[in-house]
Amino acid sequence: MDPISALSVASGVVAFVDFGGKILSRYLELRRSDEELPAAMRLIRNDIEQLKRTSNAALVKVKGLKSKYPTQGESLDRLADHCLDARGRMDASLEELMGILGRSKPEGGRSRAVVAVWSVSKEAEFEKLKQRMTTIREEMMMNVLMCLWDEATQSRERMEGVGSGIKQILDAQTFMEGAVKDLRDDFRTIAAGQPLDTQGGKARLTEKLWNSVCLFDEKSLMPGEQSRRRGTSNLNSALAQQMDLESRRRILDGANLAELGRDDLGLDLQSDFGTHLDDSEVCERLLEDIKFDGMTDRQERIPTPFPDTFSWLFAPQSAQSPTGFTRWLASREDEIPFWITGKPASGKSTLMKFIATHPRLTGLLKEWSGDFNLLTVSIYFWGPGSMMQKSQTGLLRTMLYQLLRQRPDLCRVVVPRRYVLYSLAGADLDFPPLWSLEELQRCLSRFAAEVGETDRVALFVDGLDEYDGRCEELVELLKKLQADHGFKLCVSSRPWNVFSDAFRTSPSLRMEDLTKDDLHIYIKRRLAQSYGFEELRRIYPAKIAELVCAIEDKAQGVFLWVVLVVEQLLQVAQDVPRLDAIWQALDDLPEGLEALYNAIQKSLSGTQVETASKLYQIVFEWKRVWNSRIEAPFLWLAVEAQDPTQPLTYPSVEEEQHILPVLGRLLVGSTKGLLQLSSKSSQKPQVEFLHRTAYDWIRITENWARIVSEGPSGFHPTLSLLAVLVCHYQSGRLNILNRKMEAALYRIFRFASQVDNTTENRARVMTIVDYLDPILINHNTLFSVDGDVLSPDTSTGLEPWAALWACTPYLQARLEAAEARRLAANRARSRLSVSRILHTLSSGAEGGGPERNWLLLAAAHGEDINYDKLSGLPAMSQWQASRRLDSVHLLLQAGCRVDGRLLKTKMKKICSLSRWSLQPISKATTPDSCEPQFRYILSLVVAGSRSVDLEELKRRYLPLIKESHVAEEFPELDLSL
């Protein structure tokens, strides 16, 4: 294939579009410019010349591509015409402005006033031109895909039988044919000169372009790949033996684009992108793409060490440092990891942050790196946090982000596919593709290979025991980075056997063996900050010193225990300033954090106990369903909502700031600090557990059962959160044309689907969800089946979305409400029946088009597209399959039928059937893989309608539904809202 020619042409069109867009934006701002007339005229002349150069270059490239792909001649001619038209309009406007300025006197403000008037008069015209530039970019993307498809069609016969290495290329060609078919409706829109005005259309085009760009990145590349400067990949080497030079050139991956030289058109792709595109803008967008929500939260939340603690770690060598840590940092011989270990809550994370921010760190590492450039990376796993904060994917994204932030010049080489994608589709891409673990591994390997002769990397990773996965795999990955690429590696973890075995020969330190003096400093100085203790110390200095030692001994090296206990004792000293009362309080507080947490919970008053129960239930339910830190305003509204079925009002930005101190006071009073507000620097203040040990304590079965029982009667945290999410969606905080709208809507229905499906709960869910304004929702494409796009309008309500995301409680409530109205009204006069809701599903399909089949098709089609795109979860688990089957069965039981040729055709497509005859299938054996079983049961259910025993089918073929449901709690959702 010859993607290089198409991409080279694309680079020219992109350069024209980007430069034209900048011109339009600049001259729309002329009314506010104070630039002198001569300088303005020179700028305009330069812009006119540059516009001509970029447009001419684009036209030459389009003409050259037309000669290569004559079957795409009409489409390429249309692209060239649109570029010429846009340039002509901009030329005319700029020449008009030059004429105005030429007639104006340079002195005084008259010329500025004239220019301002001209800018205002041109605003509407320039906005249309900007929209035309967007259309040209989309048209260019379409033509790239069409040329690749054309090349795939022409070269299939030539490549068949060449060898096993070609199979990947042939698979890619098959994909291109399917991609163009899927986009045929969007291509018609673009070909008509109209922009894609739906997010769904733009998402589809971007997705297909991304998958096409995948052709330039070898699928066989693994973490051990060699630098592009050290040779081609195994795949390319194999092809080199079987194909001529021309064919070999055309399949090189994106990492080799920089070495291709010039293609048949005499064009240098790297030069084109580097010259005409703002490289820094593309790299910045790539970095934003790598970053994820909450990436630095854990680091920011780790407290700064108490003054004068941990000073022993960086003690000068002459002071005989007990750890040898500074010698290890500076040494070029000790090429093994350094392991920091200790009991839970003994201060390991605080020490790791202390290391990463210490002023001596860079100097010591410079002794190690010598003449090489020094790069440092600090990563903090967080068990109670989101999946990204405790997974290998999150680790690699954090690492890659920090490395490329220090070496942005390597973005093009390290992340070649995404660099090309953003260069073509624009840096403001709304639908960036998800990051796969394999892609991240390849990118990190490329980075390590690229900097091997110029840079040295020091890597600090905190909390290996908080990793959500096999710790052996994590250790192997980190040690491989150290062994293969020379990373200097420092890690921290609890003293689990897996880590003790892995770092047995490594230099190490144990926190509780070294922090006794630090505990003494903290206790003594913290007590000294209390007037009550200071007054007692003046009377009983020896006894206060004895108390300090008693706290140290009872702590057994656990720093967090000391912090919590000291706060309890400070409260006693303030309220009851008697030494015997303070000693009694210390004696009553148990050793060990778990016992201490139980004691804190038992110390709460009646009202505090109930409030604490609500707080814990809401925070925990948020984590269970969405697996992230809950935003502070969400928690406040959920706690305050007495009746979630009553409409809530989301606070303004100013009101949110007023809520924060009140919520902070509530958390301290009701949980004694076990729940805390995030740092003030966070753009979105959130609430999280004080420490992982507090999170682990609340998850102990008996503790959780007691906490729930202490809550108010009839309290449903899921319903309260659902009400908050609906009022947040209605508040207008999210841009209606932003992908976040769809993600936020998905979140609403995800929470709604988690409610126990009782009659009362269903009615409450319907009441809450129906507060959503359909006008804010139905702006987007729902989904497509076999290339036919299905889009709801405001008259259909929310049922299509509930069906798509298998929200059975809401669907059932809507059907029950319709049935109740039907029974209460005269049959002849009533038109609000179930049959009206389902009319579009069961009749008239032949003439009405696919929009009449939304509910049943959406329920059957389900999460294959939207859910998988949004979350990155497995496409089909047994729990997901069960929910989707329940929704389909519900609609069939309500009277829906698979009638009409079109509906039958689409349903067969979803079931992957060419006919309705079925072959028996074995049961699914793993919780997260059941695609064939789902389609088999779906086919039986649709064909048998009411007579099928769905529960029996699920028991037979989906025996692990419960296990699958548990596995999907605390899900990995790569969504930033």
Side-chain angles (χ1 to χ4, degrees):
M1 297 183 68
D2 187 14
I4 306 304
S5 296
L7 284 179
S8 184
V9 171
S11 71
V13 177
V14 166
F16 168 66
V17 168
D18 285 353
F19 185 70
K22 290 176 181 178
I23 287 179
L24 293 171
S25 297
R26 181 158 63 226
Y27 289 110
L28 280 173
E29 296 298 315
L30 275 176
R31 72 194 76 172
R32 287 182 283 273
S33 174
D34 57 357
E35 198 165 15
E36 294 298 328
L37 181 58
M41 294 184 70
R42 285 194 298 272
L43 181 63
I44 295 171
R45 289 193 187 97
N46 290 338
D47 284 346
I48 292 173
E49 292 303 315
Q50 181 66 14
L51 183 64
K52 289 179 179 178
R53 284 195 298 271
T54 56
S55 63
N56 287 338
L59 293 172
V60 169
K61 293 180 180 184
V62 171
K63 182 178 179 181
L65 192 63
K66 179 182 174 182
S67 66
K68 281 180 170 288
Y69 302 102
T71 59
Q72 306 302 328
E74 182 180 351
S75 179
L76 292 169
D77 283 341
R78 187 163 49 245
L79 173 62
D81 290 343
H82 290 165
C83 290
L84 278 172
D85 178 70
R87 190 190 80 174
R89 293 172 184 269
M90 283 190 285
D91 272 346
S93 295
L94 295 180
E95 292 290 354
E96 179 185 343
L97 178 58
M98 283 289 290
I100 292 173
L101 292 174
R103 294 189 297 272
S104 301
K105 296 180 180 180
E107 65 275 0
R110 181 174 179 274
S111 61
R112 291 197 187 97
V114 171
V115 170
V117 171
W118 177 86
S119 177
V120 171
S121 69
K122 289 289 183 179
E123 186 166 1
E125 180 182 342
F126 275 20
E127 287 296 338
K128 288 182 179 179
L129 273 173
K130 290 176 72 174
Q131 188 63 59
R132 172 57 66 90
M133 289 298 186
T134 299
T135 304
I136 291 173
R137 182 187 288 273
E138 291 170 351
E139 193 173 358
M140 175 272 300
M141 293 164 66
M142 176 191 74
N143 276 283
V144 168
L145 290 171
M146 293 294 290
C147 289
L148 291 176
W149 182 38
D150 195 41
E151 181 69 29
T153 303
Q154 295 176 20
S155 60
R156 175 182 296 278
E157 189 173 311
R158 183 179 72 245
M159 285 190 163
E160 287 178 348
V162 173
S164 59
I166 298 301
K167 184 179 182 302
Q168 295 176 358
I169 307 301
L170 295 177
D171 289 343
Q173 294 169 344
T174 301
F175 161 78
M176 287 305 308
E177 295 175 10
V180 175
K181 290 179 181 178
D182 290 343
L183 292 171
R184 60 174 181 259
D185 290 336
D186 298 318
F187 283 179
R188 292 190 191 104
T189 300
I190 296 171
Q194 300 298 319
L196 293 176
D197 55 0
T198 67
Q199 293 294 82
K202 294 179 180 179
R204 283 190 301 275
L205 185 59
T206 300
E207 180 192 8
K208 301 305 181 185
L209 183 63
W210 166 245
N211 283 288
S212 301
V213 172
C214 291
L215 301 176
F216 317 132
D217 205 3
E218 291 180 3
K219 299 177 182 179
S220 60
L221 290 177
M222 295 301 292
E225 69 175 305
Q226 296 297 310
S227 168
R228 63 189 177 87
R229 293 180 299 184
R230 300 177 187 176
T232 58
S233 70
N234 294 333
L235 174 61
N236 282 339
S237 297
L239 291 173
Q241 300 174 11
Q242 305 178 60
M243 302 177 67
D244 58 25
L245 178 62
E246 177 68 14
S247 297
R248 292 201 305 272
R249 274 173 67 269
R250 294 177 175 180
I251 62 169
L252 291 175
D253 69 285
N256 288 325
L257 292 179
E259 296 180 343
L260 286 175
R262 295 180 174 271
D263 66 3
D264 295 341
L265 296 177
L267 302 168
D268 184 342
L269 181 61
Q270 169 147 347
S271 175
D272 292 335
F273 279 127
T275 300
H276 298 304
L277 298 179
D278 188 342
D279 188 73
S280 63
E281 183 180 350
V282 176
C283 291
E284 192 62 35
R285 183 60 182 86
L286 279 170
L287 288 170
E288 287 300 310
D289 187 13
I290 299 171
K291 191 163 63 172
F292 58 86
D293 190 38
M295 190 170 74
T296 60
D297 281 355
R298 175 57 177 158
Q299 180 180 1
E300 293 173 356
R301 291 186 69 252
I302 296 172
T304 302
F306 200 76
D308 297 327
T309 58
F310 297 150
S311 58
W312 43 266
L313 187 65
F314 281 92
Q317 294 294 333
S318 58
Q320 297 300 312
S321 170
T323 66
F325 182 70
T326 53
R327 186 193 65 79
W328 174 84
L329 284 174
S331 173
R332 299 182 184 180
E333 285 75 38
D334 287 341
E335 296 300 331
I336 56 176
F338 194 100
W339 181 38
I340 295 172
T341 188
K343 295 179 179 180
S346 57
K348 298 183 295 297
S349 296
T350 305
L351 183 67
M352 289 293 283
K353 183 174 179 178
F354 175 77
I355 292 170
T357 58
H358 198 278
R360 288 195 61 201
L361 177 67
T362 300
L364 290 167
L365 287 175
K366 272 291 187 182
E367 294 182 36
W368 161 68
S369 64
D371 295 332
F372 291 90
N373 183 43
L374 175 64
L375 308 175
T376 58
V377 176
S378 299
I379 300 170
Y380 301 82
F381 282 112
W382 180 225
S386 68
M387 184 59 68
M388 293 299 294
Q389 293 174 304
K390 55 187 174 184
S391 66
Q392 187 176 154
T393 299
L395 167 76
L396 296 180
R397 285 177 68 169
T398 304
M399 195 182 307
L400 193 60
Y401 176 85
Q402 292 188 34
L403 290 171
L404 288 176
R405 176 58 71 186
Q406 296 171 80
R407 288 293 308 271
D409 56 301
L410 295 180
C411 283
R412 182 182 302 173
V413 174
V414 173
V415 198
R417 289 167 54 189
R418 290 176 186 262
Y419 185 90
V420 172
L421 176 69
Y422 285 120
S423 298
L424 297 181
D428 56 347
L429 186 65
D430 286 331
F431 300 91
L434 295 175
W435 286 90
S436 69
L437 187 59
E438 293 75 14
E439 182 187 5
L440 289 165
Q441 290 171 340
R442 291 198 303 269
C443 291
L444 183 60
S445 180
R446 273 195 289 269
F447 184 94
E450 193 69 25
V451 303
E453 299 176 3
T454 57
D455 300 67
R456 289 291 179 265
V457 178
L459 176 60
F460 300 85
V461 184
D462 173 55
L464 301 188
D465 53 281
E466 305 201 39
Y467 173 69
D468 189 352
R470 291 186 65 250
C471 294
E472 292 84 355
E473 293 179 351
L474 175 63
V475 170
E476 182 181 357
L477 169 66
L478 294 175
K479 295 185 80 171
K480 186 174 179 61
L481 288 173
Q482 183 266 322
D484 291 355
H485 302 294
F487 284 21
K488 185 174 280 287
L489 177 63
C490 175
V491 298
S492 75
S493 73
R494 296 179 183 182
W496 293 356
N497 289 338
V498 60
F499 303 122
S500 297
D501 292 344
F503 304 115
R504 183 178 299 274
T505 60
S506 295
S508 65
L509 64 84
R510 185 179 297 271
M511 293 296 295
E512 54 267 31
D513 295 340
L514 297 164
T515 55
K516 185 175 179 61
D517 290 342
D518 295 327
L519 292 175
H520 184 86
I521 292 172
Y522 177 83
I523 297 168
K524 185 177 180 180
R525 293 187 184 178
R526 186 72 182 91
L527 295 181
Q529 294 173 358
S530 163
Y531 290 118
F533 264 106
E534 272 300 284
E535 290 164 356
L536 287 171
R537 187 185 61 79
R538 294 189 187 103
I539 302 173
Y540 308 110
K543 291 185 179 296
I544 294 297
E546 182 183 350
L547 178 70
V548 170
C549 292
I551 298 172
E552 289 177 27
D553 293 339
K554 201 169 183 179
Q556 298 180 341
V558 179
F559 221 119
L560 181 59
W561 188 94
V562 169
V563 172
L564 294 173
V565 166
V566 167
E567 293 307 309
Q568 297 286 314
L569 298 182
L570 290 175
Q571 188 66 45
V572 174
Q574 184 179 42
D575 298 336
V576 188
R578 292 174 42 238
L579 200 57
D580 59 340
I582 295 172
W583 272 103
Q584 184 62 50
L586 177 60
D587 291 339
D588 289 344
L589 292 172
E591 296 180 1
L593 280 172
E594 183 180 325
L596 180 60
Y597 293 146
N598 285 324
I600 290 174
Q601 184 70 12
K602 291 177 181 178
S603 71
L604 300 177
S605 65
T607 303
Q608 290 175 325
V609 168
E610 184 174 285
T611 303
S613 175
K614 290 180 69 174
L615 288 166
Y616 286 135
Q617 288 189 66
I618 292 168
V619 171
F620 193 78
E621 182 67 1
W622 182 269
K623 282 186 172 294
R624 186 185 72 83
V625 178
W626 200 243
N627 199 13
S628 66
R629 294 165 61 187
I630 187 171
E631 293 181 29
F634 287 8
L635 179 59
W636 171 260
L637 287 174
V639 170
E640 288 292 291
Q642 301 300 315
D643 181 1
T645 62
Q646 297 299 311
L648 301 177
T649 302
Y650 198 79
S652 65
V653 175
E654 182 180 359
E655 289 169 338
E656 282 185 353
Q657 298 305 310
H658 298 324
I659 286 172
L660 295 181
V662 181
L663 179 60
R665 185 182 294 272
L666 183 69
L667 295 175
V668 171
S670 298
T671 72
K672 302 303 179 184
L674 298 189
L675 289 176
Q676 292 188 333
L677 275 172
S678 62
S679 62
K680 295 180 181 180
S681 63
S682 176
Q683 293 182 349
K684 293 182 179 179
Q686 298 167 320
V687 175
E688 186 55 277
F689 286 93
L690 166 69
H691 191 264
R692 178 188 167 182
T693 53
Y695 176 70
D696 292 340
W697 166 77
I698 204 173
R699 296 188 68 179
I700 297 174
T701 303
E702 54 267 29
N703 292 345
W704 181 247
R706 183 181 71 250
I707 287 171
V708 172
S709 68
E710 293 168 344
S713 177
F715 176 64
H716 294 278
T718 314
L719 288 173
S720 297
L721 287 168
L722 179 62
V724 171
L725 292 175
V726 168
C727 83
H728 174 252
Y729 194 98
Q730 290 291 101
S731 68
R733 293 289 186 90
L734 298 169
N735 185 344
I736 193 170
L737 296 179
N738 195 295
R739 182 193 181 197
K740 291 183 178 181
M741 290 292 284
E742 184 179 4
L745 187 63
Y746 168 76
R747 183 169 63 182
I748 287 172
F749 280 105
R750 182 175 177 86
F751 273 88
S753 69
Q754 299 295 314
V755 175
D756 290 338
N757 194 13
T758 65
T759 301
E760 180 182 3
N761 283 346
R762 287 197 298 271
R764 298 171 79 182
V765 166
M766 183 180 70
T767 299
I768 296 170
V769 173
D770 280 349
Y771 286 128
L772 288 170
D773 184 353
I775 295 177
L776 291 177
I777 295 170
N778 293 290
H779 63 276
N780 212 335
T781 297
L782 187 61
F783 64 96
S784 65
V785 179
D786 194 25
D788 289 308
V789 178
L790 307 182
S791 300
D793 56 45
T794 57
S795 65
T796 62
L798 304 170
E799 291 93 335
W801 302 97
L804 179 70
W805 289 319
C807 186
T808 305
Y810 180 79
L811 275 178
Q812 189 169 350
R814 293 289 295 172
L815 293 171
E816 289 171 347
E819 178 67 10
R821 290 195 297 271
R822 186 187 68 82
L823 294 175
N826 183 287
R827 184 183 298 270
R829 297 174 56 196
S830 174
R831 293 295 183 269
L832 295 174
S833 63
V834 174
S835 61
R836 180 181 180 185
I837 294 178
L838 299 176
H839 173 71
T840 58
L841 303 172
S842 58
S843 64
E846 293 288 339
E851 65 274 15
R852 293 193 171 185
N853 310 307
W854 281 331
L855 289 188
L856 191 59
L857 284 179
H861 188 277
E863 300 162 342
D864 281 353
I865 291 182
N866 288 282
Y867 183 83
D868 192 43
K869 274 185 184 179
L870 290 172
S871 69
L873 288 173
M876 179 70 67
S877 72
Q878 292 197 32
W879 170 241
Q880 295 168 32
S882 175
R883 290 172 54 220
R884 285 171 58 178
L885 291 167
D886 287 343
S887 296
V888 171
H889 192 247
L890 172 68
L891 293 169
L892 291 168
Q893 291 292 306
C896 182
R897 292 289 183 274
V898 185
D899 293 334
R901 176 182 56 80
L902 183 58
L903 181 54
K904 287 183 178 180
T905 300
K906 296 304 179 187
M907 191 61 73
K908 287 180 181 179
K909 181 71 175 180
I910 292 173
C911 295
S912 298
L913 296 171
S914 59
R915 57 187 184 278
W916 286 114
S917 59
L918 302 169
Q919 298 297 322
I921 193 168
S922 61
K923 67 180 180 181
T925 57
T926 61
D928 60 353
S929 179
C930 65
E931 190 84 22
Q933 289 79 10
F934 165 76
R935 299 190 186 282
Y936 178 72
I937 298 174
L938 176 63
S939 303
L940 290 174
V941 169
V942 172
S945 190
R946 301 186 182 188
S947 62
V948 171
D949 187 342
L950 176 60
E951 294 305 314
E952 175 59 28
L953 288 172
K954 289 197 292 186
R955 280 192 295 271
R956 183 183 305 173
Y957 297 108
L958 303 174
L960 302 176
I961 292 175
K962 289 184 179 179
E963 292 83 349
S964 176
H965 188 193
V966 172
E968 288 199 24
E969 292 181 337
F970 308 95
E972 181 175 358
L973 296 163
D974 190 12
L975 291 174
S976 299
L977 291 172

